[in-house]
Structures are given as structure tokens and as C-alpha cells.
Amino acid sequence: MNSWLNVDQNSDFSIYNIPFGIASINGTRKVVTRLGDTVIDLHELQEAGYFSNLELKAGIFHKAVLNDFIECGKIACTQTRAVLIQLLSDSNSILAKNQEVQKKAFYPVSQVEMRLPVNIGDYTDFYSSIEHATNVGKMFRDPENALLPNWKHLPVGYHGRSSSIVISGTNTRRPMGQTRPNNDEPPVFGPSKLLDFELEMAFITYGGKALGERINTSEADDYIFGMCLFNDWSARDIQKWEYVPLGPFLAKNFASSISPWIVTLEALEAFRVKGPIQDPPVLPYLQYQGDKNIDIQLEVYIQPENSIESKVSASNYKYMYWNMEQQLAHHTVNGCNIRAGDMMASGTISGQTEDSFGSMLELSWSGSRSIKLADGSERKFLQDGDTVIMKGFAQKGEIRVGFGEVRSKILPARID
């Protein structure tokens, strides 16, 4: 399948993708999709009648966030994507021949500003990579019994702060907080010295069931709109002091960064793979059928200020012990309701080799070793002026579906 638009064969945004996002076009935010390096204004396409056969409200794409579109439900969103694929792949389509509409709706990606795609009502962060959880357990608990007793029985998670989730390109300021450098001394206040990234992915939900009802694993896919890259910044020294007994707080809520394009679950179906064997067997409500993990190649780069970028990690989403369907089933098994635009993050994604670890905490093994960058500098944790870049894509033969990137530069702490 090809497009009549010019699309590089290595583009993340092939005709097989057709993601959704929000772009500021001539000062107005619109719902858009992307093909290659072309951003397409869906409001202009709707105004021209290209979605007339779908049950979509007028002006549904003239919105500052995707929430209203997501609330239309899975069938409407899937049909919209199917129409776009037909319009953009068929050289005889009415859009291919309509230069006037193309002039109104098509923009080079360099001419638009991508915005936060969703008004995120609630955000949950899971802890679902067994390699990551094992590494952390070895460093801070017991090398022989790294996992806590509950870890293989349920997808561990916590409720995070949605207000500080920001779009790629937004700078991240080093957080201030309490730390306790020495166990026998009182805590001190100041900038975090152990600032870290966490390589994650997140999924966005459709509207769920009523409060008191639950979503099971067999129907969970019907409630997942799509996915994006997610950098869950972490201040390790603040977290170490504050997390007992309730878990992360100020060490996490200062910022999380996401990529601007939401890649639909339908675009990722071709990349489904088997997940790891879950032993011991999980409880019935967490059991599932079929291949539910997704083969998505992930990379992390660090670019020091005024220097070149260096790849520091190459991981894969397929390593996840707990999949999205199990996460959503567990999240709602007590009757918790979800809403259109809620976000759920995977937790740090680490592989089995040292170069696939998804955080500086693991890469430097809690600061005991340095990571050498391409310019000769070294890192144990992140420094002011560093830009962290995460990329992700799935590839199967000639079919490529990617997420672009999420990047953010670290600014010094505000001391005043």
C-alpha cells in the first residue's frame, strides 16, 4: 500500500500509520493527522465533505484537544482512519484530484506547532517491566529476592499527576525538594542531584463503563484509543527519601513528557507478539487470549548542550511482563471508571542487556559507573543543559509505523 503523496520509506508516518494529534495552524488549534512530512487538517477535510458518510458531529475536528473525537468511540475513530487511508492511498480518490482542498488542508510539518493532544483527566503509571523491577530490587533490596511478593500477581501502579504532563519540546526544570544524603543526618532542601529519565509508553483510553462495573481482558482493546512515547522524569534522590510508605510524590509530579502523535491500536495490530510466560499463573481476571505484547523498538539519546547526541539505550516494548489489557482489567476490577482521554503509562521499559536499560539509574547502576557519550563526556545522571530524546517505531518488512520522538531540555533549578 502506497500513497500518492511523497513519503520517505523510512518515515515513521507511513500510510499504515495515520495517527491523530493537535496542531496550531495559523494560530488556531485543529485535529490533524500526518503522512510523511505532511500534516493534514481534518477540519478542512470535513468541511469539504470527505467524512459525510460517517456519523461525526459538525466541527468535531475544530477542537483544541482530541477528547471530543475520542468520545465518539472506537467505531467512529476507526472508520475515520479507514477513510483517510483510502483518500490518501488511492491516486484516483477525490482528494488526490482536489488541489483546492489540498491547499487549505495540507501543511509541511515545519510550518505547524504540535500541541498537547489530549486533555488528560487522570493519569496512572504502572511498573510492568520485570527487568526494570528486578534491577531496582537488586540495587535497593535483596539481590536474591529482588521482586516484592505482589509483583508477579498484579500490575503494580500508582495514580500520578496529569497537570504536569507536557508536550515534546517543552523544557524540563530540575526540581527542588527534600533529600537525605546521609542516613544518620537530617534532610536538606535543594535541587535534585540525581535527575533521571524513564523510558515508557502510554496509552489513551476511550470512555469506559459506568462506576462500579469493570472491563475484562477480552474487551480491553475496545477501550484503548492509541499510544504515545512517554518520558516519566524522576528525581531519584527526592524519591528515595519520600516514597516510604506511600510511594512517589514530588519526585515524579514535576514533569512527564509525551510525543505529540497518538498512534491508534489498529495501526499497531500487525506488530503483536507473544508476551513472556507469567509464572506463577495469574488470577482468572488477569488471564487473556492471543498475542497482546507489541514489538516496538525504542531508543534513548542524550545530547549535551552545544554538542552531539549519543544513543544510551535501545529497548523494546515487547519485553513488558504485564500488557495493556491486563493493566486496564486490573485498573477497573474494583469498579473504577475510566474516561475518554485518560492516560496510563507502562512504567520504565528495560530489556535483559545493559544497553537496553530504560533509565540512568540502571545504566549507571545507581551511580556506581559512568556512561560515556560520543563527545567524550560522561554521565551517571542527567546534567543541566542535557536534552533527552526518545524515539520509537515498529517495523515488519516494508510496513513501518512510528511515533516520532519526545524530547526535552533540562533547565537549572529555580533557586529563588
Side-chain angles (χ1 to χ4, degrees), residues 173-178 189-192 238 250 254 413-416:
R173 188 166 297 277
R174 184 177 295 272
M176 302 283 287
Q178 285 192 29
F189 177 75
S192 169
I238 295 175
L250 300 184
F254 62 96
R414 182 169 283 120
I415 305 297
D416 54 356

Side-chain angles (χ1 to χ4, degrees), residues 22 29 64-68 70-71 115-125 158-168 170 201-206 225-232 255-262 331 337-345 406:
I22 296 292
R29 298 189 188 192
V65 287
L66 289 171
N67 294 62
D68 286 356
I70 297 172
E71 285 177 357
R115 301 287 190 167
L116 196 70
V118 179
N119 180 14
I120 304 165
D122 283 297
Y123 152 57
T124 300
D125 191 24
Y158 75 96
H159 296 290
R161 182 73 181 177
S162 60
S163 66
S164 53
I165 298 176
V166 295
I167 193 68
S168 175
T170 305
M201 298 204 68
F203 67 89
I204 305 291
T205 63
Y206 290 110
F225 172 63
M227 301 183 70
C228 63
L229 300 171
F230 192 89
N231 181 357
D232 190 22
S256 297
S257 305
I258 66 170
S259 53
W261 296 101
I262 308 300
H331 201 300
N337 56 324
I338 62 168
R339 295 172 292 189
D342 284 353
M343 177 172 282
M344 302 189 187
V406 53

Side-chain angles (χ1 to χ4, degrees), residues 2 14 22 32 112 134 175 192 205 269 294 327 343 371 400:
N2 296 304
S14 68
I22 296 292
V32 295
V112 305
T134 300
S192 169
T205 63
E269 284 300 325
I294 307 178
Q327 291 168 346
M343 177 172 282
I371 306 301
R400 181 182 173 108

Side-chain angles (χ1 to χ4, degrees), residues 209-227:
K209 297 183 179 181
L211 182 67
E213 299 185 22
R214 68 192 193 191
I215 297 170
N216 60 51
T217 57
S218 64
E219 61 188 354
D221 286 350
D222 292 336
Y223 295 91
I224 299 174
F225 172 63
M227 301 183 70

Side-chain angles (χ1 to χ4, degrees), residues 55-67:
E55 294 183 3
L56 295 173
K57 293 180 181 178
I60 192 70
F61 299 119
H62 200 287
K63 302 288 183 179
V65 287
L66 289 171
N67 294 62

